[in-house]
Amino acid sequence: METTLQNLFLGFSTVFTATNLFYSLIGCLIGTMVGVLPGVGPLAGISMLLPTTFGLNPTSAIILLAGIYYGAMYGGSTTSILMRIPGEAASVMTCIDGYAMAQRGRAGPALAIAAIGSYVAGTLSVIGLMFLAPPLARFALGFGPPEYFTLLLCGLVVLGYMTGGSIIKNLSMIVLGLLFGMIGIDQMTGYFRFSYGIVALGDGIGIVPVAVGLFGISEILATAGQAKRPEILKPRFRDLFPSRQELKDSVGPIGRGTLLGFLIGIIPGSAHIISTFVSYAIERRISKHPERFGKGAIEGVAGPESANNAASEGALVPMLALGVPTGPIPAVLLAALMVHGINPGPLFIKEQPVIFWGLIASMYVGNLVLLLLNLPLVSIFVNFLRIPYKILYPTILMFCVVGVYAVNSSLVDVGIMSVMGMLGYLLRKLDFETAPMVLGVVLAPIIEVSFRQALAMSNGDYLIFVQRPISSIFLLGAVVMILLAVKPLIWKKRGWRDRLTEAEKNS
Amino acid sequence: MILGGILVIRGGRGESFRTLQWPEGRHALAILGCCLFATFAMEDIGYRITMIIILGFLFGIVERLKLWQIFTLTAALALGTFWVFDSFLKVPLPRGGWGF
């Protein structure tokens, strides 16, 4: 406890410099804008803005990018409540009761409760992250290559299961991502693989062009030329304050949403989306008046919004403690750390205490900034929605091109982004999820090296993966997930995965 | 690669692919064309000229904005992002053969 407090003090002394406070503030503001604008998700936003951090020191860079991440999670609720358009998939559930409240003239309190819930969930989750990540990293220090390989394998299977849609499609996307991740020079032998004589592919395919292509460009391709936006409600500052009853009704959902969101956030997959689903379902089930849900129940806003923000910070636990991203956004944050010369993994917290504890402290500050600035500025953020999409999408396209080019000053990366954009567009049309592919690309080098090192340890004996206790537990976890995925084929029953798929489609 | 090609062609004739609607197809083609143009032209003609051409094409020909809007937006975005990234953030962007 004492060590944690000392480290937290170190973190706050890092953050409370004019520069880092400025970057935390800027990150939160940009993140909110990214969350507010439909079509620019947090992943594309972080990827596009990654090059702007190259001139910064690693601590400021990660503070800025993390600010964009949780700022975007917060901003998504604004469009859900005011326009019934989720800024990102995790805000789908907020649409239901948030928009119903807005139609009854209670848009302000819905926005305020979403902000308060996000703040409480964000802050409590940082406490969880602070206490959970360091011991988890210490535990993972005992992992050898077999444990690491099976951990990653289990993580990928869990991701395939927890992401909506067909698990076969999800697993095939993971394998495609792993194949893309294997392009380039073989780390152990030095051979060029799958590069077809293109020297520029020797370094492999970067995460940024893949992420921007699959999420930024494909979104533009799918949405350009869309019909005119619906009318936007614009609440006034004095209308924002919730009533005493609304505040009282929100306390329980915020608490439950936070706990649920944080725990689900640690699991790979569409954690922030799933957590909002579970939170909404629980609130409706335990409510004394379930008939109010769908017609403007404040609990239907408070619970999912808290769960969403808690999950986004829970997702940072495995990323910071183990170097294992659980979704595409932590994967890009991981890539950002690597761009700045930092090796993520179990030694990260020990070797880079200033960055880790600076990030933790910046989250406390960032959550407060989001609460204090975004509520009064909500009417300004709403104005971004008035920009016609025919002006917006060429602008986003330009930022995609410049963002991807700037990472390596390489036009090959711009070409990869274009190809990935086209691929992502076609895959979306055919109901494939692209998030597992991004994770496959990121994890391919780590999973391959761990696999080959493990086999080198055992002289090629595959039994090493089942003989070691921790590794066999991870393998068992993967098998259980596959069996759970097969279950609906035997019992034809509509499960939570079907509802998740439906919601993701609607977003 | 040959087998992959056969798979794609046969897949294109499949029921689920044939029934797809492409209402945004015209825009998608134009945007993809712009991405490919940037890939092949940016090194030779520079960032600013490439972006002026791409944005001018999208705002003017695809979206049919008013002339003053096209000029203002194209110039502001192309030159503005160059200033932000290249001059302010010191991220080198291509200048092409004419130094622009």
Side-chain angles (χ1 to χ4, degrees):
Chain A
M1 183 73 185
E2 199 178 316
T3 321
T4 307
L5 288 176
Q6 275 174 354
N7 285 326
L8 192 61
F9 181 73
L10 169 75
F12 276 112
S13 60
T14 308
V15 171
F16 281 118
T17 59
T19 319
N20 286 339
L21 277 177
F22 172 74
Y23 286 120
S24 181
L25 176 74
I26 292 291
C28 291
L29 286 175
I30 295 175
T32 310
M33 270 189 265
V34 164
V36 164
L37 290 173
V40 196
L43 181 66
I46 294 172
S47 305
M48 281 191 290
L49 294 165
L50 177 61
T52 60
T53 67
F54 289 172
L56 309 178
N57 66 55
T59 312
S60 303
I62 199 74
I63 285 173
L64 177 74
L65 293 173
I68 297 173
Y69 177 32
Y70 50 78
M73 288 300 169
Y74 170 85
S77 60
T78 308
T79 46
S80 303
I81 292 167
L82 299 179
M83 292 169 71
R84 210 173 198 270
I85 295 177
E88 34 90 32
S91 306
V92 171
M93 299 315 283
T94 314
C95 283
I96 304 171
D97 283 284
Y99 188 68
M101 281 183 74
Q103 282 188 316
R104 284 172 35 210
R106 303 296 292 158
L111 286 166
I113 288 295
I116 294 166
S118 300
Y119 169 72
V120 173
T123 307
L124 293 179
S125 300
V126 178
I127 296 173
L129 171 65
M130 191 173 82
F131 282 104
L132 198 59
L136 190 61
R138 278 195 295 277
F139 174 67
L141 280 174
F143 284 13
E147 285 80 13
Y148 225 64
F149 168 73
T150 48
L151 167 70
L152 294 171
L153 186 73
C154 180
L156 287 175
V157 175
V158 174
L159 175 83
Y161 177 71
M162 299 298 262
T163 309
S166 151
I167 190 165
I168 295 170
K169 282 182 173 178
N170 292 341
L171 290 177
S172 64
M173 285 295 98
I174 290 171
V175 172
L176 189 62
L178 289 173
L179 283 173
F180 280 133
M182 286 167 73
I183 292 174
I185 298 170
D186 180 346
Q187 289 180 38
M188 291 177 109
T189 62
Y191 280 112
F192 268 63
R193 296 183 305 192
F194 313 121
S195 58
Y196 297 98
I198 303 168
V199 180
L201 288 179
D203 283 340
I205 290 186
I207 173 73
V208 175
V210 173
V212 174
L214 288 177
F215 289 88
I217 300 292
S218 74
E219 180 73 31
I220 297 172
L221 293 175
T223 52
Q226 66 184 7
K228 207 181 161 191
R229 291 249 167 83
E231 198 193 335
I232 307 157
L233 300 163
K234 196 173 178 181
R236 287 169 300 182
F237 182 67
R238 63 165 186 240
D239 298 332
L240 287 172
F241 300 99
S243 65
R244 188 172 288 184
Q245 186 60 40
E246 281 169 332
L247 275 173
K248 200 178 146 199
D249 289 343
S250 305
V251 173
I254 289 174
R256 287 185 287 273
T258 303
L259 188 66
L260 263 172
F262 183 73
L263 294 177
I264 296 175
I266 299 171
I267 305 165
S270 309
H272 51 292
I273 308 171
I274 296 166
S275 64
T276 57
F277 265 72
V278 178
S279 168
Y280 190 85
I282 288 179
E283 293 311 325
R284 192 164 59 176
R285 186 153 294 181
I286 64 173
S287 172
K288 285 176 188 159
H289 303 284
E291 70 282 355
R292 283 172 47 242
F293 279 74
K295 293 170 190 161
I298 193 83
E299 299 93 320
V301 176
E305 272 305 307
S306 311
N308 167 17
N309 274 56
S312 64
E313 282 166 28
L316 296 180
V317 173
M319 183 206 118
L320 295 171
L322 309 172
V324 177
T326 53
I329 302 171
V332 174
L333 286 175
L334 202 72
L337 284 173
M338 284 149 91
V339 165
H340 284 277
I342 294 154
N343 286 323
L347 285 170
F348 168 68
I349 298 173
K350 201 175 171 189
E351 287 176 350
Q352 304 286 350
V354 174
I355 297 178
F356 176 76
W357 290 101
L359 175 65
I360 296 281
S362 81
M363 286 178 171
Y364 285 109
V365 177
N367 278 307
L368 194 63
V369 166
L370 282 172
L371 182 70
L372 294 180
L373 275 186
N374 287 359
L375 268 183
L377 294 181
V378 72
S379 52
I380 294 172
F381 284 119
V382 165
N383 283 332
F384 285 106
L385 295 166
R386 296 178 196 278
I387 303 172
Y389 199 64
K390 58 187 176 184
I391 292 176
L392 200 59
Y393 84 80
T395 313
I396 299 170
L397 177 71
M398 182 190 63
F399 276 106
C400 288
V401 171
V402 71
V404 166
Y405 176 83
V407 176
N408 291 317
S409 295
S410 162
L411 282 172
V412 174
D413 281 353
V414 180
I416 292 169
M417 176 198 78
S418 310
V419 173
M420 287 296 159
M422 190 170 68
L423 183 65
Y425 170 60
L426 291 175
L427 290 171
R428 283 169 65 131
K429 282 273 183 193
L430 295 166
D431 285 336
F432 281 85
E433 283 289 333
T434 47
M437 198 207 293
V438 177
L439 222 58
V441 173
V442 178
L443 293 181
I446 316 170
I447 204 166
E448 187 194 353
V449 168
S450 308
F451 179 67
R452 289 165 76 174
Q453 280 176 343
L455 285 184
M457 280 168 68
S458 65
N459 289 321
D461 186 358
Y462 288 89
L463 284 176
I464 191 170
F465 297 114
V466 284
Q467 282 166 346
R468 293 168 71 116
I470 297 175
S471 123
S472 58
I473 289 169
F474 287 135
L475 273 185
L476 189 69
V479 173
V480 168
M481 281 297 141
I482 290 173
L483 289 177
L484 280 174
V486 173
K487 201 178 116 188
L489 296 176
I490 303 160
W491 288 281
K492 297 272 182 201
K493 196 181 165 189
R494 193 177 139 84
W496 64 269
R497 296 187 78 252
D498 302 305
R499 290 196 288 275
L500 175 67
T501 310
E502 212 168 87
E504 280 178 334
K505 267 186 197 168
N506 291 339
S507 76
Chain B
M1 281 182 86
I2 294 166
L3 289 174
I6 294 169
L7 203 65
V8 168
I9 291 165
R10 285 188 63 84
R13 290 180 191 153
E15 181 66 27
S16 56
F17 199 78
R18 270 192 293 120
T19 51
L20 283 180
Q21 302 286 313
W22 306 86
E24 69 294 323
R26 194 177 70 92
H27 279 85
L29 273 179
I31 294 164
L32 272 176
C34 289
C35 287
L36 292 175
F37 177 74
T39 308
F40 292 108
M42 207 152 77
E43 204 80 60
D44 295 322
I45 61 174
Y47 173 80
R48 280 170 285 194
I49 295 178
T50 309
M51 280 306 152
I52 286 171
I53 293 171
I54 288 176
L55 294 174
F57 170 72
L58 291 174
F59 288 139
I61 295 173
V62 179
E63 297 300 340
R64 310 253 172 212
L65 296 186
K66 289 174 187 148
L67 207 57
W68 69 268
Q69 287 179 319
I70 300 167
F71 278 116
T72 316
L73 286 168
T74 303
L77 289 171
L79 303 180
T81 48
F82 185 85
W83 181 81
V84 170
F85 279 86
D86 189 283
S87 310
F88 181 65
L89 294 168
K90 306 290 177 207
V91 176
L93 294 175
R95 284 158 195 268
W98 303 302
F100 196 67

